[in-house]
């Protein structure tokens, strides 16, 4: 089972985790908006349809590579405050190593392969967030 959702709604990690519990091992990652450098708001934009397709391709890749029984990617878009959940990634497999590796793969590749655009609001001024070299390095280990 693959679940991909891009939404403005808050992420219910309890419900998402429950959907993944199919026996074996479940691994999850939840990302929160950081308040680095005084960020008051983080706004995410995406290209509907293309974003979901990119996330589905990643989940398909992970499912095939690690024989997952389930993979979930839920990503928020729109304005978010520090401390709010921005992303939930979860995997389920018969064995823990596969679930953990697949979860790491998905979050690493999500940071570089999904078409999202981030803008930070600091002291009333906005600035676009550029891709970080560390994210590219993390994703490269899976290629």
């Amino acid at each position: 089972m693959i679940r991909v959702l891009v939404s403005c709604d808050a992420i219910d990690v309890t419900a998402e985790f429950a959907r993944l519990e199919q026996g074996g091992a479940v691994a999850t990652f939840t990302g929160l908006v950081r308040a680095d450098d005084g960020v008051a708001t983080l706004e995410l934009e995406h290209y509907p349809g293309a974003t979901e397709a990119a996330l589905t391709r990643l989940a398909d890749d992970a499912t095939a590579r690690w024989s997952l029984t389930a993979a979930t990617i839920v990503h928020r878009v729109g304005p978010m405050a520090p401390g709010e959940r921005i992303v939930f990634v979860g995997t389920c497999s018969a064995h823990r190593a596969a679930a953990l590796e697949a979860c790491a793969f998905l979050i690493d590749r999500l940071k570089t392969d999904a078409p999202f655009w981030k803008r930070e609001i600091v002291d009333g001024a906005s600035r676009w967030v550029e891709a970080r070299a560390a994210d590219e390095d993390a994703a490269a280990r899976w290629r």
Side-chain angles (χ1 to χ4, degrees):
M1 174 194 86
I2 291 177
R3 175 172 162 74
V4 169
L5 177 65
V6 177
S7 173
C8 293
D9 298 333
I11 299 171
D12 182 346
V13 295
T14 303
E16 296 303 335
F17 187 87
R19 285 185 183 97
L20 287 166
E21 288 187 303
Q22 299 180 17
V26 174
T28 66
F29 173 87
T30 304
L32 306 175
V33 176
R34 296 185 307 266
D36 295 352
D37 302 323
V39 171
T41 304
L42 177 68
E43 294 180 355
L44 256 74
E45 296 180 11
H46 78 297
Y47 185 65
T51 302
E52 291 85 351
L55 298 179
T56 299
R57 279 191 302 276
L58 288 174
D60 285 340
D61 289 350
T63 299
R65 189 170 177 174
W66 285 279
S67 298
L68 301 178
T69 56
T72 298
I73 303 172
V74 179
H75 211 297
R76 295 255 328 258
V77 291
M80 290 164 273
E84 289 187 60
R85 295 179 189 112
I86 188 171
V87 64
F88 174 90
V89 172
T91 58
C92 183
S93 181
H95 304 284
R96 74 175 182 271
L100 290 166
E101 288 177 16
C103 189
F105 165 86
L106 285 172
I107 197 62
D108 285 346
R109 295 288 303 277
L110 174 70
K111 295 283 285 182
T112 59
D113 295 6
F116 290 103
W117 296 273
K118 295 180 183 181
R119 182 173 42 202
E120 297 174 333
I121 310 298
V122 179
D123 295 327
S126 70
R127 63 182 180 218
W128 290 101
V129 177
E130 298 294 325
R132 297 180 339 183
D135 293 334
E136 292 293 337
D137 292 344
R141 75 181 176 129
W142 301 106
R143 292 191 176 105

